[in-house]
Amino acid sequence: MLKVTDLEAGYGGSQVLHALSLHVGDGETVVVLGPNGHGKSTLLRAISGLIRPSAGRVEFNGVDLTRLPTEQIVGSGVVHIPQGDLPFPEMTVLENLLVGAYRPGAWSERAERIEKVFHLFPALAERKRQLARSLSGGERRMLALGRGLMSKARLLMIDEPSLGLAPLVTEQVYETIDEIKRSGLAILLVDENAEHVAGLADRMYLLEAGVLVREGAAADLLRDEALLAAYLG
Amino acid sequence: MEILDRLVQALYSGVLNGSVYGLMAIGLTLIWGSLRMLNLAHGALYIAGAYIAYGVLGGLGLPVPVTFALAVGGAALVGLFIQLILINPILEKPGRDSAALIATLAASIIVQSTILLIFGGQTKQLPPVVDGGFKVGTTLISYQGLVVIGAAVVCLLLMTIFLRASRLGLAIRAISQNMDAAKLMGIPIVPAFVVVMVISAALAGLAGVLLGSILFFTPSGGFTPMLMAMVVTIFGGLGSVGGTIWAAYIIGLMESFLAVYVGPSWALPGIFLFMIAMLVIRPNGLLGLGEVRRL
């Protein structure tokens, strides 16, 4: 489904990602695990076109996305939910969700999609007329996820959804992602905490200093004790 | 009776001023909110509207309402060209803030010089859409004035609905609040900028056409309305549409009340003094509420 080959990217003169290759299959949940500042967000930003890769190739269902503008990448079904939510603060919850359905294919189905999102996140339904900036941290994260689901996503890329959340809320967020996973959507999740994603991941990659150092079935990697020591903290 | 007469006079011209300022300022604030650019060509678009109407009327002799519609379309077209030829090429370049300032200033000079070449520098005036008027006390209220007020109110309402309820309007607000997130929603940024510029130019052109039948104008006549629109935009909190509409009427009324009760020469200095005071107390503008409000 998603196939990344020898991807290189960075900011200005400094290269962050080095010849990075990974793939995500249909309906698969893949987790890229790595410490902060090792290129997890850069990876997602390079795939979604927010930064331009300097080399390599990003393919989605056989289509080359590498140098397409972000809106076309989103249009093809690769939807990126960035770190720190980036909600539209002066819009209501409902308006935020509607913007998520901006692409023509999604816009015509926006009413049903909103129903689905509200079903998944009842808290958002209660606050639909509230401005996004008045939401709590957990609700904002839910809104960001819901907004991502409004577009006709076929692959959801989620950037560290637990960042800055209280433990209880964190648990809810991962439960929701599990529910999204069970609906059959492919997920590429980047995270720094192995414990959070243990029950979620089908396959995992370990990212260190912009290089993927290990790959394997989640169950195998999680059995590796040296690794757990490094990533469970 | 004289007290009442002065009050009617101040209210009528205040609402009239406010309507025109609103039309002008909403375009400036839209561009500021989404492109983060101060459009110094806004006054030129205003005066382009008035001159296109003047030219069409003299050259083709079409009915006044058709002429006005053509003039608004013409101003929108000038805005489209400015965006495509001068602004789009510098959007992704480093130092685009000052580049955009210079580019819009250049656009303004080009438009004004073109007008000067075609029409010369003499003052012109447009005929009113409707003749006549009526008196309230000693104040003459012209039907044309009411047309201006009505058109402005309708346009400002339509803009508000457009930004709140339409797909494109939501996209424009999204861009103004968080550009990266807007990109990730699949919104094409540059085409949205073009739409913003065309709408903004059309509104400036409409203001020019409407006011052209009340005031005399010359090729550089867009400067003062643009200056007032900037005051209104800053007063309303840069980039806030709701704040801008309120600010337009408050500034318009303040100007006319100062003119009627203190003296005409006090109107502008009074407004600028007030603005300085307000910027000290509420640096983010009228509706800033302690933070910058966006579209």
Side-chain angles (χ1 to χ4, degrees):
Chain A
M1 195 176 195
L2 178 78
K3 197 167 154 228
V4 176
T5 322
D6 294 327
L7 191 69
E8 314 221 324
Y11 303 94
S14 66
Q15 195 178 340
V16 178
L17 303 178
H18 303 274
L20 195 147
S21 300
L22 60 80
H23 61 98
V24 181
D26 268 323
E28 198 183 18
T29 298
V30 173
V31 172
V32 174
L33 211 54
N36 257 337
H38 284 234
K40 298 192 301 293
S41 299
T42 310
L43 169 64
L44 297 193
R45 290 172 67 84
I47 295 175
S48 63
L50 282 182
I51 57 171
R52 192 150 288 204
S54 48
R57 190 176 159 85
V58 178
E59 231 176 80
F60 188 65
N61 289 333
V63 182
D64 184 6
L65 301 183
T66 320
R67 281 183 177 64
L68 291 184
T70 302
E71 72 262 18
Q72 286 182 33
I73 294 175
V74 175
S76 76
V78 178
V79 173
H80 176 183
I81 299 173
Q83 200 176 49
D85 320 325
L86 309 184
F88 302 114
E90 300 294 333
M91 284 191 192
T92 64
V93 168
L94 198 61
E95 287 173 334
N96 264 278
L97 293 176
L98 284 173
V99 174
Y102 178 82
R103 298 301 298 175
W107 185 256
S108 53
E109 301 166 5
R110 60 192 184 282
E112 310 143 46
R113 286 177 177 277
I114 284 182
E115 282 308 309
K116 276 188 199 157
V117 169
F118 282 165
H119 180 71
L120 202 54
F121 306 101
L124 292 184
E126 282 166 32
R127 308 200 183 292
K128 61 181 177 185
R129 309 253 169 244
Q130 232 170 284
L131 287 183
R133 69 185 159 96
S134 70
L135 298 181
S136 72
E139 288 162 349
R140 281 182 202 198
R141 205 62 42 98
M142 304 288 183
L143 179 59
L145 284 171
R147 204 175 52 180
L149 292 173
M150 288 298 293
S151 54
K152 259 186 151 168
R154 292 150 80 192
L155 169 72
L156 212 51
M157 303 198 295
I158 311 175
D159 194 346
E160 213 169 320
S162 64
L163 188 81
L165 294 187
L168 196 65
V169 186
T170 302
E171 213 171 290
Q172 285 173 8
V173 167
Y174 285 98
E175 270 165 27
T176 312
I177 295 175
D178 199 40
E179 221 167 304
I180 296 171
K181 171 197 162 120
R182 274 183 274 129
S183 76
L185 208 60
I187 296 175
L188 175 61
L189 176 70
V190 305
D191 213 306
E192 58 169 356
N193 190 327
E195 201 179 358
H196 288 154
V197 298
L200 201 63
D202 298 321
R203 227 153 30 78
M204 277 192 184
Y205 293 88
L206 298 185
L207 181 70
E208 262 182 49
V211 182
L212 289 175
V213 290
R214 299 254 326 245
E215 181 209 345
D220 295 342
L221 284 190
L222 288 167
R223 236 177 274 129
D224 187 326
E225 286 190 16
L227 199 93
L228 286 186
Y231 284 92
L232 286 179
Chain B
M1 267 330 271
E2 208 214 330
I3 298 172
L4 210 58
D5 284 340
R6 291 174 84 174
L7 187 66
V8 170
Q9 174 66 47
L11 281 175
Y12 169 67
S13 53
V15 171
L16 188 59
N17 290 341
S19 298
V20 176
Y21 297 159
L23 282 179
M24 281 294 279
I26 216 81
L28 270 186
T29 211
L30 274 175
I31 290 184
W32 176 265
S34 50
L35 278 93
R36 292 279 175 271
M37 174 179 98
L38 181 60
N39 180 19
L40 291 177
H42 206 61
L45 292 166
Y46 163 95
I47 212 68
Y51 273 99
I52 292 169
Y54 183 85
V56 170
L57 213 56
L60 302 176
L62 294 170
V64 174
V66 179
T67 306
F68 282 13
L70 282 176
V72 172
L77 208 60
V78 175
L80 177 68
F81 282 132
I82 292 177
Q83 181 70 21
L84 293 181
I85 297 169
L86 293 172
I87 310 298
N88 277 356
I90 58 174
L91 276 178
E92 305 286 328
K93 299 272 157 50
R96 60 152 265 205
D97 287 356
S98 35
L101 213 56
I102 294 165
T104 57
L105 182 63
S108 148
I109 294 170
I110 293 168
V111 171
Q112 281 183 37
S113 310
T114 311
I115 291 172
L116 191 62
L117 279 174
I118 300 174
F119 295 97
Q122 310 93 315
T123 54
K124 308 269 194 262
Q125 192 175 24
L126 290 171
V129 182
V130 275
D131 278 314
F134 56 91
K135 273 198 161 182
V136 176
T138 55
T139 308
L140 177 70
I141 296 187
S142 69
Y143 291 128
Q144 175 67 12
L146 295 181
V147 167
V148 173
I149 294 170
V153 169
V154 168
C155 282
L156 295 179
L157 267 177
L158 285 179
M159 272 316 291
T160 311
I161 294 170
F162 166 72
L163 288 170
R164 301 233 154 257
S166 76
R167 174 169 170 259
L168 196 56
L170 282 171
I172 290 169
R173 285 168 63 206
I175 291 173
S176 85
Q177 292 177 26
N178 193 322
M179 195 177 303
D180 265 357
K183 283 184 190 167
L184 291 177
M185 301 297 112
I187 298 168
I189 304 292
V190 175
F193 285 168
V194 175
V195 171
V196 169
M197 177 58 101
V198 168
I199 291 174
S200 159
L203 290 174
L206 179 65
V209 167
L210 290 175
L211 217 60
S213 50
I214 293 179
L215 303 174
F216 293 104
F217 53 87
T218 63
S220 59
F223 183 75
T224 310
M226 180 172 74
L227 196 66
M228 290 309 289
M230 283 177 186
V231 172
V232 166
T233 310
I234 294 167
F235 186 74
L238 281 165
S240 153
V241 167
T244 301
I245 295 175
W246 281 110
Y249 285 97
I250 290 174
I251 297 275
L253 285 166
M254 193 183 299
E255 186 185 353
S256 65
F257 271 80
L258 281 170
V260 169
Y261 287 97
V262 188
S265 57
W266 273 99
L268 279 182
I271 282 170
F272 280 99
L273 277 175
F274 180 75
M275 191 180 79
I276 292 168
M278 195 214 59
L279 283 177
V280 171
I281 301 163
R282 275 190 173 275
N284 288 323
L286 177 69
L287 286 191
L289 301 171
E291 59 193 310
V292 183
R293 280 222 177 191
R294 299 279 142 73
L295 307 178

